[in-house]
């Protein structure tokens, strides 16, 4: 019977098992998140296992960035690197003795065999298959060697690998928690290698041994692994072990329906952090890549944990939409406490405006910066937007937006408005938003112009720009001295 309902009997234990051959990209981060949400939903355990058996491509640096990426997303592992756990070690290269032991068991039971074929021989086979337009498949030569030949080759050939004896007929059928029933003809599955000549296991073998020993109940991973699953199930069966439940989540495509490339989404999550994205925006965004709940877009972490189940994972590929990520980011920036945005924005501001360098004692400087950030927070899409958005708070005005100047700097008429404004503002005892607002309104009334007739030239004079946050807020933050100085400068500019 096929059902997509999540089956939970016993403790839920899931794992994220990255190969440290590069940073944590969106696809991997989403797999980690789905596993983590699933674990939290069922009060289970999230295990992190580093699959570093590809000696040439695995690096310590990649391990570090993966751990950093997960931590940034707030995806914490109960068992794994650093803190260990009851099934340690959690690095596959530290478990080689374990794989060896289980491989020997399969040999002893006649379920695996040594293959002595040389790379050259295998290459020729593959070429032959390609010529006949057949799928490349090992010809099982060594499976059927007679005892004498096998003995001789065992001594004479140094580079032997271990292959799994795949059943030659029948089907491997399993119930995928995201896709329903999936069937594979065993005949099409190869006698695949389980141990390489250097004594390292292959992914399919090591993953099964570890998932079994680590008591993993549900394997949730990208559907690029779907074709590995029947192979893995056959290994479970060879050992007489119960396989876990499997759920394969759909791949992520770009808007152009092509696989993710560097241009969209193939960058690492830590790069997104550097570009000014907030982790909760990223988590919300990733959660919606192939999963959904009604037409809701914004989910808190708590809601995600409450609502996340695999039957709501879609069957069709998820589409990466960077505009949506930016939209979510501006939402979460708006929702954040100003103190947090201050902490996040400060390094970018200090880099952009070296004169700004604040130390803890510079109370006035810190207060000014806090006010600047509070005024701009609503408008930031990315934390890094703070730099261009705040320029006029830190630098003198050296030019005026041309289009706006043509429209709002109307010679004598404007000079008079700005002169009046300067006078009234300089007379203010308390330089705060309500008093500033009163000045503008009073002036518009007195001069019999619309409020905009005062605000637009003032904005241009004070910021050089046509668009800014609310004028009264900006003026309050800039402070009397800068405001007067800039009004004078604009008056002079108009001659
Ligand atoms: N190391 C594999 C990968 O990074 C893990 C696949 C799995 O989850 O089984 O793709």
């Amino acid at each position: 019977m096929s059902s997509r309902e999540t089956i939970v009997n016993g403790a839920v234990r899931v794992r994220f098992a990255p190969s440290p051959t590069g940073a944590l990209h969106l696809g991997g981060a989403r797999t980690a998140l789905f596993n983590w949400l699933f674990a939290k939903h069922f009060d289970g355990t999230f295990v992190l296992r580093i699959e570093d058996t590809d000696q040439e491509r695995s690096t310590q640096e990649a391990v570090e960035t993966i751990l950093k990426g997960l931590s940034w997303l707030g995806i914490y592992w109960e068992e794994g690197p650093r803190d260990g756990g009851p099934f340690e070690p959690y690095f596959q290269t530290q478990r080689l003795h374990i794989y060896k032991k289980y491989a020997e068991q399969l040999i002893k039971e006649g379920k695996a065999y040594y293959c002595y074929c040389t790379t050259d021989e295998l290459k020729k086979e593959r070429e032959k298959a390609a010529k006949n337009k057949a799928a490349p498949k090992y010809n099982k030569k060594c499976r059927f060697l007679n005892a004498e030949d096998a003995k001789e080759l065992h001594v004479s050939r140094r580079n032997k690998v271990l292959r799994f004896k795949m059943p030659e007929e029948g089907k491997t059928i399993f119930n995928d928690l995201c896709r329903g029933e999936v069937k594979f003809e065993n005949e099409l599955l190869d006698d695949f290698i389980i141990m390489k000549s250097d004594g390292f296991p292959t992914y399919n073998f090591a993953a099964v041994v570890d998932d079994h020993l680590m008591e993993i109940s549900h394997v949730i991973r990208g559907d690029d692994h779907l074709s590995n699953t029947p192979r893995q199930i056959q290994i479970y069966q060879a050992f007489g072990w119960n396989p876990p439940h499997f759920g394969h989540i759909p791949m992520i495509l770009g808007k152009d329906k092509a696989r993710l490339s560097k241009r969209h989404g193939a960058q690492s999550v830590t790069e997104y952090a550097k570009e000014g994205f907030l982790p909760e925006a990223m988590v919300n965004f990733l959660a919606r890549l192939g999963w959904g709940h009604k037409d809701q877009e914004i989910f808190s972490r708590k809601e995600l944990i409450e609502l996340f189940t695999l039957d709501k994972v879609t069957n069709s590929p998820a589409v990466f939409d960077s505009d949506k990520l930016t939209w979510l980011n501006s939402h979460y920036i708006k929702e954040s406490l100003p103190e947090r945005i201050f902490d996040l924005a400060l390094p970018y501001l200090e880099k952009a405006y070296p004169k700004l360098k604040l130390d803890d004692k510079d109370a006035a400087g810190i207060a000014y910066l806090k006010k600047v950030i509070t005024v701009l927070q609503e408008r930031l899409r990315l934390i890094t937007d703070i730099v261009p958005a705040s320029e006029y708070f830190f630098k003198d005005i050296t030019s005026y937006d041309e289009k706006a100047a043509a429209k709002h700097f109307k010679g004598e008429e404007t000079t008079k408005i700005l002169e009046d404004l300067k006078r009234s503002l300089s007379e203010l005892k308390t330089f705060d938003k309500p008093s500033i607002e009163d000045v503008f309104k009073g002036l518009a009334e007195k001069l019999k112009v619309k409020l905009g007739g005062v605000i637009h030239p003032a904005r241009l004079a004070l910021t050089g720009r046509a668009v800014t946050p609310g004028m009264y807020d900006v003026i309050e933050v800039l402070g009397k001295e800068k405001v007067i100085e800039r009004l004078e400068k604009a008056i002079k500019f108009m001659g």
Side-chain angles (χ1 to χ4, degrees), residues 15 17-19 49 51 203 207 211 219-221 224-225 232:
R15 84 316 190 256
S19 304
R49 182 174 74 225
E51 301 203 327
Y203 152 70
D211 285 340
V219 167
I220 303 163
R221 59 186 171 202
D224 48 331
H225 283 290
Q232 296 182 6

